[in-house]
Amino acid sequence: IIKSGDYVQVQVELAEFEKMQAGHGGWAGQMSEALKRFGKVTSVLGSGDLRVLYPNKKTWTINPAAVAKVPSFSVGDTVRVISDEAEMRSLQEGHGGWVDDMRSTVGKVGRVK
């Protein structure tokens, strides 16, 4: 169950996402920016649709069937950084960017501080 405060990510391709938005807040071309981005659920509407805030400061009404909840972590949790540097670089877009010193963390296990 997705609730306010959760992070979500669109899990469908662009064409499917656009179709799924019919009856769920509609489609705007700029919504394509939500693909591959994490957004924070700011509210769950009575219809079940989600209001999601993205790093670009845009909030969209999203069909909940188009997204998956992103796991959240707590202080002390053990995590493993993904081992694909190219994917890590891509995921850092909109999240502070890539810094070459991050290369030393690729594939490593650590604890959330």
Side-chain angles (χ1 to χ4, degrees), residues 18-40:
E18 186 174 350
K19 286 180 198 172
M20 292 178 81
Q21 281 301 111
H24 297 276
W27 177 258
Q30 292 180 338
M31 291 178 81
S32 63
E33 297 172 12
L35 294 175
K36 294 190 176 185
R37 299 275 189 238
F38 297 118
K40 185 175 184 177

Side-chain angles (χ1 to χ4, degrees), residues 36-68:
K36 294 190 176 185
R37 299 275 189 238
F38 297 118
K40 185 175 184 177
V41 177
T42 58
S43 63
V44 179
L45 304 178
S47 64
D49 289 342
L50 309 173
R51 292 288 291 163
V52 182
L53 174 65
Y54 287 91
N56 63 3
K57 305 294 186 219
K58 299 230 189 256
T59 300
W60 302 107
T61 299
I62 304 287
N63 180 340
V67 301

Side-chain angles (χ1 to χ4, degrees), residues 69-85:
K69 186 175 173 178
V70 176
S72 60
F73 302 100
S74 298
V75 172
D77 286 351
T78 300
V79 296
R80 179 182 303 273
V81 177
I82 61 173
S83 58
D84 181 336
E85 182 180 323

